[in-house]
Amino acid sequence: MRTDIVTIFPSYFDTLELSLLGKAKSRGLLEIHVHDLRDAAHDRHRTVDDTPTGGGAGMVMKPEPWGEMLDGILDSADDTDEQPPLIIFPSPAGEVFTQAMARELAEEPHLIFGCGRYEGIDQRVFDEYADRGRVRLISMGDYVLTGGEVAVLAMIEAIGRLLPGVVGNPESLVEESHEQGLLEYPSYTKPAKWRGREVPAELLSGNHAAIAQWRHEQALERTKRVRPDLLPG
Ligand code: ADE
């Protein structure tokens, strides 16, 4: 998968060199190109924002640098697929990101992420690229971040680990929270007793069916208690 990220804070994405995704990157499973939006702002101060038309608080990101940057990325990519690349703008006004969405986006060959700051991006940028191709606004949840960067890091991590070959043992992707509509069961390792707290006897039984049943019951109980909204009516 190829990803392009447009931001005014490129160094946010330095952490993508670490851990599993860093390895995926160096093994060529995930290509990440980070672009500084200010490279497409040509005045002396490399201005990317201006006051909101019609008045109001805060600043809005100007359309021209976005247009130049996104056109450049679209022109430079050799996208041979019938579908144009998907442009994602993280926004608290977007659809809420889920594991199902991560799975769907992991099938895309090319994702472009546009990180907004301030009070957002001039609406004409979304309209222009939606008319010319594919655009989605995606939210991390019902709270407000100071910009899209942290949301894009979370999305790339959730999507990247689903790419073939990124996680060593693909079985570990199956039994985790949200993959089967339930939260994950609690996990334990050695020692069997720590500070007087014992690993549940079922897990030490060696009986695979009993272990599977215990884990399912735990997942169900935890989901009922913490996230009843995930369970069918
Ligand atoms: N930018 C600001 N808040 C956000 C959120 N909740 N999700 C995605 N992008 C955002």
Side-chain angles (χ1 to χ4, degrees), residues 136-148:
R136 271 173 98 162
L137 267 61
I138 299 181
S139 169
M140 273 304 111
D142 294 337
Y143 46 84
V144 179
L145 303 167
T146 56

Side-chain angles (χ1 to χ4, degrees), residues 14-26 157 166:
D14 292 351
T15 56
L16 292 174
E17 299 297 330
L18 305 174
S19 186
L20 211 66
L21 290 193
K23 239 179 266 165
K25 207 175 150 208
S26 61
E157 187 156 314
V166 172

Side-chain angles (χ1 to χ4, degrees), residues 13-224:
F13 298 96
D14 292 351
T15 56
L16 292 174
E17 299 297 330
L18 305 174
S19 186
L20 211 66
L21 290 193
K23 239 179 266 165
K25 207 175 150 208
S26 61
R27 288 165 58 212
L29 302 172
L30 177 64
E31 217 182 291
I32 301 173
H33 304 267
V34 181
H35 309 266
D36 187 342
L37 181 68
R38 290 194 196 278
D39 290 345
H42 303 293
D43 63 307
R44 204 156 52 92
H45 302 290
R46 306 175 82 206
T47 309
V48 293
D49 60 328
D50 208 332
T51 53
T53 303
M59 298 292 269
V60 176
M61 293 188 109
K62 294 158 63 64
E64 304 96 319
W66 280 103
E68 181 178 320
M69 189 54 84
L70 292 173
D71 286 352
I73 293 168
L74 292 170
D75 289 346
S76 73
D78 58 337
D79 293 302
T80 45
D81 303 274
E82 315 98 59
Q83 296 237 79
L86 177 63
I87 307 181
I88 294 173
F89 292 100
S91 163
E95 343 157 47
V96 175
F97 190 68
T98 60
Q99 185 65 20
M101 202 186 285
R103 256 183 270 123
E104 184 190 329
L105 296 175
E107 303 290 326
E108 294 277 343
H110 186 188
L111 296 175
I112 301 171
F113 295 94
C115 303
R117 283 261 143 190
Y118 316 114
E119 296 304 307
I121 303 171
D122 188 300
Q123 178 64 34
R124 291 168 293 181
V125 175
F126 308 125
D127 298 342
E128 163 82 4
Y129 291 95
D131 281 352
R132 284 171 46 184
R134 297 190 300 144
V135 167
R136 271 173 98 162
L137 267 61
I138 299 181
S139 169
M140 273 304 111
D142 294 337
Y143 46 84
V144 179
L145 303 167
T146 56
E149 283 77 6
V150 167
V152 169
L153 281 169
M155 281 189 258
I156 291 184
E157 187 156 314
I159 296 164
R161 63 194 288 284
L162 297 177
L163 299 176
V166 172
V167 169
N169 179 1
E171 268 182 43
S172 65
L173 297 177
V174 176
E175 293 213 351
E176 58 195 14
S177 287
H178 301 295
E179 271 302 338
Q180 300 179 329
L182 296 177
L183 301 183
E184 197 177 13
Y185 51 77
S187 299
Y188 297 85
T189 183
K190 293 175 233 13
K193 191 168 180 178
W194 177 73
R195 297 192 177 175
R197 297 168 189 276
E198 293 182 5
V199 169
E202 289 86 344
L203 299 178
L204 301 168
S205 68
N207 178 339
H208 295 298
I211 292 172
Q213 191 188 337
W214 181 87
R215 285 177 166 164
H216 180 71
E217 285 166 7
Q218 291 289 315
L220 205 57
E221 185 283 320
R222 183 183 259 184
T223 309
K224 264 189 208 151

